[in-house]
Amino acid sequence: MPAGGLSRTGVFSGNMGYSVAGTATLQQVGADISLVLESNFMASNGPQLGVFLATSASGSLNSQNSIKLANLTSNTGMQTYPVPSGVGLTDYNFVVIYCIPFNVRFGTAPLN
């Protein structure tokens, strides 16, 4: 947990034969929240993979049940994504790696 902040952590599992593994940490320091995919993160290759926060563990993602943070910058290793202001630490319960063109969840990490 970051000094002076709060965090929620989850471990990825793959979906539909895709491999996603590693730890995701949603951390808040002051008013700023960010998502950190830890150094043990890895994901299968795919076209236009996005990093999302979602309210449910399954199904398609839309503006009512998720928020896109960014396109995945790397299939391996540590990376950090800022969470838009107005989104709270407990607003979403899952981190999702999502293939946007094919509407497929590659992997999901439930946040504690």
Side-chain angles (χ1 to χ4, degrees):
M1 178 165 54
L6 303 170
S7 67
R8 298 175 70 200
T9 302
V11 176
F12 280 102
S13 59
N15 184 45
M16 296 179 62
Y18 296 101
S19 179
V20 180
T23 305
T25 302
L26 193 61
Q27 59 187 30
Q28 180 173 358
V29 178
D32 296 325
I33 299 176
S34 59
L35 174 69
V36 178
L37 302 181
E38 303 292 347
S39 59
N40 62 353
F41 174 78
M42 65 76 49
S44 298
N45 286 324
Q48 197 179 350
L49 296 181
V51 179
F52 287 79
L53 296 177
T55 57
S56 69
S58 61
S60 292
L61 300 182
N62 59 55
S63 61
Q64 286 75 44
N65 69 8
S66 67
I67 185 168
K68 181 182 178 187
L69 300 182
N71 286 336
L72 187 67
T73 57
S74 175
N75 288 71
T76 60
M78 181 176 256
Q79 44 206 296
T80 302
Y81 300 93
V83 175
S85 62
V87 175
L89 191 65
T90 59
D91 290 352
Y92 296 95
N93 291 319
F94 300 91
V95 179
V96 180
I97 305 302
Y98 195 75
C99 179
I100 296 166
F102 294 103
N103 295 317
V104 173
R105 287 179 188 239
F106 270 38
T108 302
L111 296 168
N112 64 10

